[in-house]
Amino acid sequence: VTADSKANVKGYVNNPDVLLPAKNGKLDVGGAVGIGLLQVIKDMGLKEPYSGQTILVSSEIAEDLTYYFANSEQVPSSVGLGVLMDKDNTVACAGGFIIQMMPFAKEETISQIEENLKNITSVTDHLKKGETPEQILEILLGNLGLEITSTMPTKFYCNCSKERVEKAVISVGKKEIQDMIDDGQDIEVKCHFCNTAYKYSVDVAGFRQQVLASATCVSIAPSFNVFMNVDAASLPPFNPNDTTPHPPFGRYFCALS
């Protein structure tokens, strides 16, 4: 899952084919996810992205995020999430909240929030009632002088494009691309996030020349990072002798091998 400061969100599941019986009247998310690790990477415009990692304590997303904030970022937090499903097993709506304590929070404020959290039996129940995020926040923080300064709509948004996917094709390497060209098979790449298929014809002379030329360039320095979500003009100057991994300018980057 990735998200940006404009509340654009995208994500995918590696193995979406899971069918488990309900647990305590709700989706058995923990049973589907299983054991593993939670890793959070934040690109805050610093020299290097911040990266934190914790084990999954229950494999329930809200509980694991609460544990992550407390142990990796040392920020006391409360996370509540809910998904309301329709009878045809599609998502009717989903929502949640994250409450985090500021360093100067008073003890009585923390105690009051803990009391207010007892009024949230289930986020899904509040979604089922048609309550808005503002109404849920009123339950959680209304008696603490809640003031909503701004709101921002969130949505699924995938910023993939044929040009960006073309860079991923280039990163495969000159030999593999030449093999595909020799086979005469068109190249099809699907975006994991939105399932859009991009097709490239190996018969297009311009594409063939560009891909092979670029593949030759990046294969000179195996440790060179290919940045996936920035324009070529914003990349650092290419230096064949530079083996130092460069910090990513965006959220996604891959090192060629």
Side-chain angles (χ1 to χ4, degrees):
V1 179
T2 70
D4 61 23
S5 59
K6 297 180 180 178
N8 295 318
V9 183
K10 63 180 179 179
Y12 68 91
V13 180
N14 278 325
N15 180 18
D17 301 320
V18 178
L19 183 60
L20 293 172
K23 182 179 180 180
N24 299 325
K26 65 175 186 176
L27 295 173
D28 186 9
V29 177
V33 174
I35 60 175
L37 298 172
L38 171 65
Q39 183 176 28
V40 176
I41 300 175
K42 295 182 179 180
D43 186 352
M44 298 179 288
L46 303 176
K47 185 177 180 180
E48 296 285 349
Y50 169 84
S51 179
Q53 182 174 277
T54 59
I55 61 170
L56 299 180
V57 291
S58 69
S59 296
E60 291 285 344
I61 299 173
E63 295 175 10
D64 288 322
L65 281 172
T66 301
Y67 181 82
Y68 163 81
F69 285 127
N71 288 271
S72 183
E73 298 189 6
Q74 286 79 51
V75 179
S77 309
S78 177
V79 182
L81 300 173
V83 179
L84 180 62
M85 304 293 292
D86 278 328
K87 292 182 179 180
D88 60 356
N89 211 31
T90 59
V91 176
C93 62
F97 62 84
I98 299 177
I99 301 176
Q100 296 187 313
M101 296 296 103
M102 300 294 286
F104 50 79
K106 297 179 179 179
E107 188 60 39
E108 53 265 33
T109 301
I110 298 174
S111 299
Q112 185 61 64
I113 291 177
E114 290 174 344
E115 285 297 315
N116 293 349
L117 284 167
K118 297 177 182 179
N119 297 323
I120 303 290
T121 55
S122 164
V123 173
T124 305
D125 289 340
H126 291 272
L127 296 175
K128 191 180 298 184
K129 296 175 185 176
E131 294 180 357
T132 64
E134 290 81 3
Q135 289 173 317
I136 296 176
L137 284 177
E138 190 66 36
I139 298 172
L140 291 166
L141 305 170
N143 54 3
L144 292 169
L146 172 66
E147 179 184 355
I148 298 176
T149 57
S150 65
T151 62
M152 182 183 297
T154 185
K155 65 180 182 296
F156 174 86
Y157 173 74
C158 185
N159 56 345
C160 68
S161 66
K162 193 162 188 175
E163 292 73 23
R164 292 184 63 200
V165 173
E166 187 174 300
K167 293 181 182 179
V169 174
I170 291 171
S171 70
V172 171
K174 181 179 179 180
K175 182 180 182 300
E176 288 76 10
I177 294 175
Q178 185 63 62
D179 290 342
M180 288 185 280
I181 292 175
D182 294 341
D183 292 339
Q185 298 292 325
D186 290 344
I187 302 171
E188 180 177 296
V189 181
K190 273 192 175 182
C191 174
H192 285 300
F193 292 100
C194 64
N195 213 32
T196 300
Y198 295 92
K199 294 185 178 181
Y200 302 88
S201 174
V202 297
D203 294 328
V204 179
F207 173 74
R208 181 186 306 186
Q209 182 179 1
Q210 178 184 354
V211 168
L212 287 178
S214 300
T216 302
C217 177
V218 299
S219 65
I220 294 174
S223 64
F224 185 76
N225 287 338
V226 178
F227 299 90
M228 303 298 291
N229 67 338
V230 293
D231 295 330
S234 64
L235 292 175
F238 178 71
N239 180 0
N241 299 316
D242 182 11
T243 59
T244 303
H246 296 276
F249 287 80
R251 290 188 302 277
Y252 313 105
F253 64 98
C254 61
L256 300 180
S257 58

